[in-house]
Amino acid sequence: MKPLPETEQSLVLRTDFSDDAAWQSLCAAIEAPVGDFRAYVEFVSDPAFDGLTLDQVLALHPQGAGRTFMFIVDQRAISDPEHPIRVVDLYEEPGRTFRVIPSAMWSVENNLSLANMDFFEFAEVVDSDGVFRGFGMF
């Protein structure tokens, strides 16, 4: 299986290729600034990753690699009207996940990248459907 690319920015991995227009829209929503903030991410859209499960994605990430989390755009993220993107812990509890809407992704990406907050601090404040929609700042 193809390895995940090394990136300087946080990784957004596409694993669902059913709707190119939805993917493009989702990428634009992720990149859109929210006030003075934005998510600093690199998008990976390679059909070699189509249909990967969480376990398969985790297998592509070697233990001890520098990345501590990543975002996955899967079937739910593509098809759900809110486009909740899966966030995966690769460090403290590898495989633990929650979802985040694109307009709140900057908060997750910025704080986890800088180690201002830990993964669990987001994962434990999701709504009842497992989606983080922000801390109500905007």
Side-chain angles (χ1 to χ4, degrees), residues 11-34:
L11 182 69
V12 177
L13 178 66
R14 181 182 184 187
T15 63
D16 182 287
F17 286 76
S18 64
D19 188 337
D20 286 335
W23 165 251
Q24 293 300 323
S25 176
L26 189 52
C27 291
I30 290 168
E31 290 181 314
V34 178

Side-chain angles (χ1 to χ4, degrees), residues 52-128:
L52 288 185
T53 65
L54 178 59
D55 287 339
Q56 290 170 319
V57 171
L58 291 172
L60 295 175
H61 185 268
Q63 288 286 8
R67 187 177 295 124
T68 61
F69 69 96
M70 67 183 299
F71 300 100
I72 299 176
V73 176
D74 56 10
Q75 188 274 328
R76 181 174 172 196
I78 291 289
S79 64
D80 186 298
E82 276 194 302
H83 301 294
I85 299 146
R86 190 175 227 181
V87 188
V88 182
D89 187 349
L90 300 171
Y91 183 67
E92 292 199 14
E93 296 179 64
R96 184 176 186 185
T97 69
F98 66 90
R99 291 188 179 267
V100 61
I101 59 171
S103 63
M105 201 162 140
W106 70 267
S107 179
V108 174
E109 190 280 326
N110 288 194
N111 285 294
L112 292 181
S113 291
L114 297 172
N116 286 339
M117 295 177 72
D118 292 321
F119 192 93
F120 77 88
E121 293 179 271
F122 289 99
E124 292 178 1
V125 297
V126 297
D127 291 337
S128 62

